[in-house]
Amino acid sequence: ATLPDAGELQSIMDTFCESLGVNGVITDLDGAPLTRSHVQPGFCSVVRSTPAGRLHCKLSDGIATRREGGAAGEIASGCLSCRLYRSTAEIRVEGRAVALWTIGQARLPEVEEEQLADLALRIGIEPEELRRSYVATPRLSDGAFSRVFRIQRQMANDFADLDGSSLGLTLD
């Protein structure tokens, strides 16, 4: 068997994200996208609406993955921007990590107004617009996000027996 082609992988991820109300992207181990980002309307789409916001998210995602990587292929944390839940599951082929599947956008406990205002100024967004989008972001309990993460992890594990050749992923 082979890892689904990029179109099928995109469809699987989009269905997962739409069904559970989260954002997602699958990247190679260096962070290069293998799928398009699936971004639900809301806080993340507002943050990513400016070049500075997109760069902030990319840097934040990279820092979180490097900081927490190696946790047996499973990472669950708050994003470094505004403490939204995020999780990353490794997609492994023949026991080796070949890709990362990251999901997010569910609120943790409240973020301080000053933190949102500071982020808004750094990325060029009107602070009130950012605050409104944050408040509208779904809130999940720890238990609910843990269940979403378990589903994501199981789906990533289901790819483990596949060889990855259809995406050009190699094991050298």
Side-chain angles (χ1 to χ4, degrees), residues 30 36 50 59 67 73 75 88 112 124 126 137 157:
D30 294 323
R36 292 180 317 281
T50 68
L59 293 173
R67 184 190 71 198
I75 304 166
T88 300
E112 299 292 325
E126 173 61 38
T137 300
N157 287 340

Short mmCIF file of all heavy atoms in Angstrom, two decimals, residues 30 36 50 59 67 73 75 88 112 124 126 137 157:
data_model
loop_
_atom_site.label_atom_id
_atom_site.label_comp_id
_atom_site.label_asym_id
_atom_site.label_seq_id
_atom_site.Cartn_x
_atom_site.Cartn_y
_atom_site.Cartn_z
N ASP A 30 10.39 19.21 7.74
CA ASP A 30 11.00 20.54 7.73
C ASP A 30 9.96 21.65 7.72
O ASP A 30 10.31 22.82 7.66
CB ASP A 30 11.93 20.69 6.51
CG ASP A 30 13.13 19.76 6.59
OD1 ASP A 30 13.65 19.58 7.72
OD2 ASP A 30 13.53 19.23 5.55
N ARG A 36 -2.73 21.82 1.59
CA ARG A 36 -3.07 23.21 1.86
C ARG A 36 -3.56 23.29 3.30
O ARG A 36 -4.17 22.34 3.80
CB ARG A 36 -4.19 23.68 0.92
CG ARG A 36 -3.79 23.80 -0.53
CD ARG A 36 -4.95 24.29 -1.41
NE ARG A 36 -6.25 23.67 -1.13
CZ ARG A 36 -6.63 22.48 -1.53
NH1 ARG A 36 -5.83 21.73 -2.25
NH2 ARG A 36 -7.82 22.01 -1.23
N THR A 50 -2.84 38.87 7.57
CA THR A 50 -1.78 39.81 7.23
C THR A 50 -0.48 39.04 7.04
O THR A 50 -0.29 37.96 7.62
CB THR A 50 -1.56 40.87 8.34
OG1 THR A 50 -1.01 40.22 9.50
CG2 THR A 50 -2.86 41.59 8.71
N LEU A 59 6.31 30.92 12.43
CA LEU A 59 7.39 30.87 13.41
C LEU A 59 6.93 30.20 14.70
O LEU A 59 7.64 29.38 15.28
CB LEU A 59 7.91 32.29 13.71
CG LEU A 59 8.61 32.98 12.55
CD1 LEU A 59 8.92 34.43 12.91
CD2 LEU A 59 9.87 32.24 12.14
N ARG A 67 10.34 22.65 20.03
CA ARG A 67 10.39 22.63 21.48
C ARG A 67 9.84 21.33 22.03
O ARG A 67 10.34 20.77 22.99
CB ARG A 67 9.59 23.80 22.04
CG ARG A 67 9.69 23.92 23.55
CD ARG A 67 8.72 24.93 24.10
NE ARG A 67 7.39 24.35 23.96
CZ ARG A 67 6.28 25.05 24.01
NH1 ARG A 67 6.30 26.33 24.17
NH2 ARG A 67 5.12 24.46 23.89
N GLY A 73 6.15 11.20 19.03
CA GLY A 73 5.34 11.54 17.88
C GLY A 73 4.03 12.21 18.22
O GLY A 73 3.19 12.38 17.35
N ILE A 75 2.21 15.55 20.18
CA ILE A 75 2.39 16.84 20.83
C ILE A 75 1.01 17.44 21.04
O ILE A 75 0.23 17.53 20.10
CB ILE A 75 3.21 17.80 19.95
CG1 ILE A 75 4.57 17.19 19.58
CG2 ILE A 75 3.39 19.14 20.64
CD1 ILE A 75 5.27 17.92 18.46
N THR A 88 -0.01 18.02 17.37
CA THR A 88 0.71 17.51 16.21
C THR A 88 0.92 16.02 16.40
O THR A 88 1.33 15.58 17.47
CB THR A 88 2.08 18.22 16.05
OG1 THR A 88 1.84 19.62 15.90
CG2 THR A 88 2.83 17.69 14.86
N GLU A 112 -5.28 37.19 28.50
CA GLU A 112 -5.37 38.58 28.95
C GLU A 112 -5.58 39.51 27.77
O GLU A 112 -5.00 39.33 26.71
CB GLU A 112 -4.07 38.96 29.69
CG GLU A 112 -3.78 38.14 30.92
CD GLU A 112 -4.79 38.39 32.04
OE1 GLU A 112 -5.24 39.55 32.18
OE2 GLU A 112 -5.12 37.44 32.74
N GLY A 124 -0.48 43.87 12.84
CA GLY A 124 -1.21 44.82 12.02
C GLY A 124 -2.70 44.58 11.92
O GLY A 124 -3.30 44.81 10.87
N GLU A 126 -6.55 45.34 13.84
CA GLU A 126 -7.26 46.18 14.81
C GLU A 126 -7.50 45.33 16.07
O GLU A 126 -8.07 44.24 15.99
CB GLU A 126 -8.58 46.65 14.21
CG GLU A 126 -9.49 47.39 15.15
CD GLU A 126 -8.87 48.66 15.70
OE1 GLU A 126 -8.17 49.36 14.94
OE2 GLU A 126 -9.09 48.94 16.89
N THR A 137 -14.14 32.10 19.16
CA THR A 137 -13.51 30.81 18.94
C THR A 137 -14.09 29.78 19.90
O THR A 137 -14.23 30.05 21.09
CB THR A 137 -11.97 30.93 19.17
OG1 THR A 137 -11.47 31.89 18.25
CG2 THR A 137 -11.28 29.61 18.95
N ASN A 157 -1.72 7.20 12.88
CA ASN A 157 -1.18 5.85 13.05
C ASN A 157 -1.66 4.91 11.95
O ASN A 157 -0.95 3.98 11.57
CB ASN A 157 -1.55 5.27 14.41
CG ASN A 157 -0.79 5.90 15.55
OD1 ASN A 157 0.26 6.50 15.35
ND2 ASN A 157 -1.33 5.78 16.74
#
